[in-house]
Every structure is written in C-alpha cells, then in structure tokens.
C-alpha cells in the first residue's frame, strides 16, 4: 500500500516547513525562479487549450501539469509553503523571521521567473513583436485588466472580493501540495495533486504566482494597467488571501482535525494512574504481553 495516513502527512508537513525555512537564500531564489517560470508555462498551456477548444474546463484539466512538475522536483512555490512553514513556526521548529525570510526570497524568485518567461513567451507569441493577431494576445490583455481594474471599479468591495477569491484559491492549492504527501508512489502523488488544483483553476480564483505572470504579460502587450494597479488591486491582497487560505484552512485546519482533542491512548491513561514514567513503562509492557498472549 502506498497510502500515507493523515497523522503521518501532518508530520511531513511540519518537517517540510522546517526544511523550507532553513534553506539558504540562493536555493530559495533559484527554486522560486524555476517554479515561477514553470507555473507560467502551465498557465499559457491552459489558455492555449481554452483558445483551441472554447471549453474553459479544458484549461483547468491541463494546468495542474505545471504544479506536478514543481512538487515532484522539490522546487519552491510560496503558496504551498503558506500551509507548511506556519506549522513549523507553531511547533517552534523555526522562527517567524525564518518564515518571512523564505517568503521574501521565494517571492522574489517567482517574480524574476515569471517576468523572464513573459519576455520569451511574448517574443514567440508576437513573432518578435511583428504580429499581434494571436487570440492569446487579447486573452492576456483582458485577463490582466479584469484582475486589476475589474476590482478597482468596485472600490473597497473589490479588495474584499479579491481577498476572498485568493483564500478559496489557496485552500485548494495547499491541499494539492499536501495531497502529494498522501502517497509514496509517483503516480499516486500525481493523481492526488491533480484534483484540488483543477478545482481552483476551473473556478477562476486568484493565485499570486499565476498573477505574477498574467498581469505583467498583459501590461507588456498593451493592457491599460499600471504598476500600482497591479500591486494595490491584486498582488498584495492576493498574497494576503493566499496566506490566510493556506495557513488557516489547510495548515491549522488539518492540525486541528488530527491533533487537537485527540483521545489519550489507553497506555497513557494507565501510566497516569500509576504515575510517572515508570507507570508508562509498566503500561507499555503490559500492552506488549497482552498482544503476545
């Protein structure tokens, strides 16, 4: 059986959070760069599928390929870390500053990776800037404006809306990262990851790293979006919502489900009655004898 029990998955989440927070800056930057570029690849693949089929769900079914590559290669996706590193902080395995350091360098890597892919992809899409006829040009422009100006037109309600969509997004994205830990086989990991990522992408929720590609891509193609529009009406609130969704609903939620309020094992109860470590040792011995008999 390649299935991993939930309690063991939870421990793996804490261990992964500690490992991620203790990496050096160069590792974080490079892994973040590669993950950002790969997720951008997956985004344009999804848009291409929608353009070719006129079926929105086609993009959602294909998009998880990028996420799978990132997880299987052990790269850094900050949205996945939003569920794991806070658990390591809560368990005092790493500090709050370790967590913030990871987020800073990985996000910096994502931005660089996404912008690098933007440059290469748009040179390809427009045939070195000579042909703007591809339908994906308008897709990127319209998406960039919808993800910024669309919320701006709603004012304060727009900020609330984008945060809610970001929370819903990363609840699923972090579940994708966690589901990869529920299997010890490569195929099992792929299938488990694919499900929640498809759910998020199909419903148009807000993912910070995807937006680090989509919005500047639209801007470079002529979208009426400024740098301030990008960060104030999307990137900052989406990062906040993604963190809340990952840390609260996946990280803390799974911890509460499998650790808080758990019944005391029978051996521990008996040890408490007898008192001290010697009581626990006697209880464990009795348990072993009973099993053998």
């Amino acid at each position: 059986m390649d299935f991993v029990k939930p309690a063991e998955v939870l421990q793996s989440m804490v261990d992964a959070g500690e490992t991620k927070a203790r990496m050096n800056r160069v590792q974080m930057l490079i892994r973040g760069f590669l993950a950002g570029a790969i997720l951008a690849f997956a985004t344009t693949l999804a848009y291409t599928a929608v353009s070719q089929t006129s079926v929105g769900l086609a993009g959602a079914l294909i998009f998880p390929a990028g996420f799978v590559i990132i997880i299987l290669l052990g790269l850094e996706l900050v949205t996945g870390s939003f569920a794991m590193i806070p658990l390591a902080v809560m368990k005092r395995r790493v500090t709050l500053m370790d967590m913030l350091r990871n987020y800073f360098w990985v996000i910096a890597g994502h931005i660089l990776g996404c912008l690098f892919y933007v440059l290469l992809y748009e040179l390809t899409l427009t045939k070195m800037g000579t042909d703007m006829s591809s339908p994906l040009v308008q897709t990127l422009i319209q998406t960039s404006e919808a993800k910024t100006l669309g919320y701006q037109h709603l004012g304060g309600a727009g900020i609330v809306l984008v945060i809610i969509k970001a929370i819903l997004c990363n609840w699923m994205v972090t579940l994708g990262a966690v589901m990869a830990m529920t299997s010890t086989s490569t195929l099992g990991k792929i299938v488990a990851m694919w499900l929640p990522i498809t759910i998020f992408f199909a419903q148009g929720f807000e993912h910070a790293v995807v937006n680090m590609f989509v919005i500047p891509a639209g801007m470079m193609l002529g979208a009426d979006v400024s740098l301030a529009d990008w960060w104030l009406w999307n990137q900052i609130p989406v990062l906040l919502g993604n963190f809340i969704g990952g840390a609260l609903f996946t990280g803390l939620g799974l911890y509460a489900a499998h650790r808080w309020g758990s019944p005391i094992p029978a051996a521990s109860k008996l040890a408490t009655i007898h008192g001290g470590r010697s009581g626990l040792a006697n209880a464990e011995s009795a348990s072993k004898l009973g099993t053998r008999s």
Side-chain angles (χ1 to χ4, degrees), residues 30-173:
I30 294 174
R31 293 185 188 190
F33 177 94
L34 294 173
I38 290 169
L39 208 63
F41 267 100
T43 303
T44 55
L45 174 66
Y47 287 169
T48 300
V50 174
S51 175
Q52 292 176 347
T53 65
S54 298
V55 177
L57 190 59
L61 291 173
I62 294 175
F63 174 78
F67 185 85
V68 166
I69 294 170
I70 290 168
I71 296 298
L72 292 183
L73 292 179
L75 302 178
E76 281 298 299
L77 194 62
V78 72
T79 46
S81 298
F82 282 163
M84 299 176 193
I85 301 181
L87 281 182
V89 172
M90 187 177 71
K91 300 296 289 184
R92 298 184 179 180
R93 301 269 289 271
V94 296
T95 67
L96 181 62
M97 287 306 299
D98 290 329
M99 180 180 78
L100 296 177
R101 184 176 67 95
N102 174 277
Y103 292 165
F104 175 83
W105 289 107
V106 172
I107 288 172
H110 288 337
I111 293 171
L112 292 174
C114 287
L115 292 180
F116 181 71
Y117 182 72
V118 166
L119 177 62
L120 298 183
Y121 180 73
E122 291 193 356
L123 288 174
T124 303
L125 185 65
T126 64
K127 299 178 182 177
M128 301 300 290
T130 63
D131 184 0
M132 301 291 285
S133 63
S134 171
L136 291 180
V137 171
Q138 287 304 312
T139 296
L140 289 169
I141 291 174
Q142 292 169 6
T143 304
S144 179
E145 292 178 346
K147 285 178 173 291
T148 53
L149 304 181
Y151 297 119
Q152 185 184 49
H153 292 156
L154 295 175
I159 292 292
V160 175
L161 175 60
V162 73
I163 291 175
I164 291 173
K165 292 174 74 173
I167 290 172
L168 295 174
C169 164
N170 216 37
W171 191 349
M172 290 295 102
V173 172

